[in-house]
Amino acid sequence: MTNHSETTGSPENGDAAGPEPRAHHGAQGGPATPMGHLDCTTYDGHGGEHQVTLRTPAELADALPYLLGYRPEDSIVLVALHDRGGRGRFGGRARLGIPGSTDDWPAVARQLAHGLVTGSERRGARPEQMVAYLCQEPGKGESGRQVMERLRGLAQKLRVECGLLDVPVIEALCISDGRFWSYCCGSEECCPPEGEAMGLPGTSVLAAAATYAGLQVRGTLRELRGRLLPWENASALAQEIALDTGSMAIVPRIIDGASRAGVAEETLQLARQIMQRFALAPAVSGTLTEDLRDDQLLDHDEAATLILGLQDRTTRDRAAEWMEGDEAVLALRLWRALARRCVGPYGEHAAAPLTLAGWVAWSTGDDLEAREALAMALGADPEYLFARLLHQACNEGLDPESIRRCLRAERGDREQQDGGSAEGAEADDVDGPTPCATPAAGRRRRTRSGDAADARAQGHGANGSRPRTPTAGGTRPLAARVNRTRKRAVRSRGGDSDGDV
């Protein structure tokens, strides 16, 4: 069972503060418990802090979408709480899908609790308490209360696992069918057995404060993922045929070192043309409408050429330079559209455009889409090193500016070279293409030159040997720079170099 948990940074990572909820809730007659500070990893600060006091489970339930930036579905969410001078602050958050089998509950609870606690410790702030959420809609013929009872054992395992780490869960909520239940509160006045109805979205005091501070809830996780998932419509077959045809023409050229640079330039030039086409398209409202517009502007052969060309590591690294300003907005639209075209047996090819989408989202300040796109890239290809390193760096709250500086410098150096010589230098890079076996009949294989190059960037080639010295003018693989930046940043905080997940 493989899960890529999602964690967001805490205030210790320099995140901008949003409205500050200070919740106080305990058992009836018990002392009030300081709860937390709502921090934001996606948007810049908007002036001073705005304090909001959360006193009841209802207010905690209402706060969840603002803590994550979206409305979770079929999710276990843990939120770390830190005590700062008697004032509680929300810290890191972690999410995993709810396993369908109860046999997996102990392992998932252990993974989530351990990952969030150790990740917080690595950032120098071990949580004092936790809040747990279980979010799942009823199945056919099931009520919200039945969901709550069915998940009670999972809530208990979360409480036990956090307790073993000396971090008590002070509130555990189940949210289902527009209602919520508390697994910790025994008062029927605030937590009746039939559950309490959730308020209308956007009508609470916290929602008003979040809106004032510039925070927004971006629908559900399913809607966010839907922008990146491959087509399952009538056009998917035509796209698959285009990928089959393109593979026969493009993959041999990527494998051949003499023609590899030409493929890179053709791929990047076509990508620029599509981005310009996107820029001239009329604006529309709504994410679904936007994606449909972009899909209509990109034909099957163009998408196949770009998807296959991006399997080469050098080409992918060059494309990663489109990371700022209007250029980044257009590039992100293109990477999303290409991810949607990785249909049928070409699902593994989505690792490249998904990783680029994650990188551009992270570079432009959208940590939410960045983490989801990078997690989906790892789902498409768990060994895709660039995605794994970016996913860890994003989860650890590192600043993407160090990577942007490297890419700006390389772009500037290349533009200063005479007449196109930079292309030849990149083609002669030490991390050239890895020979690929001829695909077996009926099976498509992706060019793995980028993965082998990134693996060698870690210090060893595919056969365990040390890499050769780069030739003059060659570029260091981007994955190596990400890894070096991540290690420096983690060491500066006194932690180790492992990721949160």
Side-chain angles (χ1 to χ4, degrees):
M1 177 182 61
T2 301
N3 282 290
H4 296 293
S5 70
E6 303 161 5
T7 60
T8 70
S10 59
E12 292 71 32
N13 297 330
D15 302 329
E20 178 180 308
R22 298 188 352 168
H24 302 274
H25 170 71
Q28 187 176 20
T33 305
M35 295 301 297
H37 170 85
L38 179 58
D39 64 282
C40 171
T41 61
T42 303
Y43 303 93
D44 294 330
H46 295 265
E49 293 184 347
H50 308 278
Q51 293 189 2
V52 178
T53 300
L54 306 181
R55 300 183 182 277
T56 67
E59 291 169 336
L60 274 179
D62 181 72
L64 180 58
Y66 300 98
L67 292 172
L68 298 179
Y70 60 91
R71 301 185 186 280
E73 300 172 307
D74 289 325
S75 296
I76 313 166
V77 180
L78 276 183
V79 181
L81 302 177
H82 304 279
D83 182 13
R84 290 300 180 84
R87 187 178 71 176
R89 296 174 66 92
F90 283 127
R93 282 84 78 194
R95 189 205 70 88
L96 281 175
I98 297 177
S101 172
T102 57
D103 293 339
D104 294 329
W105 287 1
V108 166
R110 188 175 309 113
Q111 176 186 355
L112 202 62
H114 184 269
L116 183 54
V117 171
T118 57
S120 298
E121 287 177 336
R122 215 165 11 245
R123 291 187 287 267
R126 178 181 173 84
E128 283 79 33
Q129 298 169 324
M130 294 278 195
V131 174
Y133 297 86
L134 300 178
C135 306
Q136 189 174 75
E137 290 305 297
K140 186 176 181 180
E142 190 177 30
S143 67
R145 181 172 180 177
Q146 288 172 323
V147 172
M148 181 272 293
E149 293 294 351
R150 176 166 52 80
L151 297 178
R152 185 180 294 275
L154 177 56
Q156 181 60 24
K157 293 185 185 303
L158 286 169
R159 298 175 71 181
V160 169
E161 292 297 335
C162 291
L164 292 174
L165 297 172
D166 293 326
V167 184
V169 174
I170 62 169
E171 183 55 88
L173 298 174
C174 177
I175 300 175
S176 180
D177 197 24
R179 308 183 77 83
F180 72 88
W181 291 260
S182 171
Y183 291 112
C184 298
C185 179
S187 171
E188 294 189 4
E189 293 181 3
C190 64
C191 300
E194 66 274 14
E196 185 75 18
M198 298 283 292
L200 292 175
T203 59
S204 67
V205 175
L206 176 59
T211 301
Y212 182 80
L215 308 182
Q216 61 176 320
V217 176
R218 299 169 52 190
T220 66
L221 187 60
R222 181 182 303 170
E223 292 168 344
L224 180 61
R225 290 174 59 87
R227 308 191 72 183
L228 303 169
L229 288 172
W231 281 351
E232 293 183 356
N233 54 27
S235 300
L237 179 58
Q239 183 61 65
E240 183 178 336
I241 293 172
L243 285 163
D244 286 341
T245 304
S247 293
M248 292 186 287
I250 296 173
V251 172
R253 294 181 63 203
I254 295 177
I255 296 173
D256 182 0
S259 58
R260 178 185 172 201
V263 175
E265 185 55 37
E266 293 167 11
T267 301
L268 295 168
Q269 182 61 33
L270 177 59
R272 293 187 191 98
Q273 293 174 5
I274 303 302
M275 288 165 61
Q276 181 63 21
R277 192 182 304 167
F278 283 0
L280 297 175
V284 295
S285 61
T287 57
L288 178 60
T289 308
E290 290 173 353
D291 292 343
L292 289 174
R293 174 202 57 195
D294 293 345
D295 288 341
Q296 293 170 355
L297 294 171
L298 179 64
D299 68 35
H300 299 311
D301 291 336
E302 290 171 333
T305 297
L306 293 174
I307 289 168
L308 295 166
L310 288 173
Q311 304 310 307
D312 175 61
R313 188 270 309 160
T314 300
T315 309
R316 178 205 67 196
D317 286 2
R318 289 274 303 276
E321 295 172 359
W322 302 328
M323 59 190 176
E324 297 176 285
D326 294 340
E327 197 174 53
V329 174
L330 297 172
L332 183 55
R333 287 169 58 184
L334 178 57
W335 306 146
R336 289 191 194 118
L338 293 180
R340 295 193 292 270
R341 301 296 186 101
C342 295
V343 297
Y346 290 91
E348 188 181 359
H349 287 63
L354 285 170
T355 301
L356 288 171
W359 158 240
V360 174
W362 185 35
S363 176
T364 54
D366 189 346
D367 289 6
L368 173 58
E369 182 166 1
R371 287 190 302 274
E372 191 58 32
L374 293 170
M376 292 176 67
L378 292 172
D381 183 356
E383 303 303 320
Y384 203 71
L385 183 60
F386 188 29
R388 189 164 70 247
L389 293 174
L390 285 175
H391 193 244
Q392 285 186 282
C394 184
N395 275 344
E396 290 174 359
L398 305 190
D399 187 351
E401 176 58 23
S402 56
I403 304 173
R404 286 194 295 259
R405 282 197 297 265
C406 292
L407 289 171
R408 290 191 205 106
E410 289 190 0
R411 190 177 192 172
D413 291 345
R414 187 173 58 254
E415 290 173 350
Q416 290 177 5
Q417 295 187 29
D418 294 332
S421 61
E423 302 301 336
E426 289 195 34
D428 293 335
D429 186 14
V430 61
D431 295 313
T434 299
C436 296
T438 301
R443 183 184 179 191
R444 287 84 169 180
R445 290 193 57 179
R446 180 163 64 82
T447 304
R448 301 306 292 262
S449 61
D451 298 343
D454 288 346
R456 287 194 292 273
Q458 301 305 298
H460 297 281
N463 59 0
S465 60
R466 298 289 297 179
R468 300 188 300 275
T469 302
T471 57
T475 59
R476 184 182 297 275
L478 184 53
R481 297 194 295 277
V482 176
N483 195 42
R484 189 172 66 252
T485 299
R486 185 177 64 84
K487 288 183 177 180
R488 281 203 304 265
V490 173
R491 281 199 299 269
S492 71
R493 292 194 297 269
D496 57 36
S497 60
D498 295 332
D500 288 357
V501 182

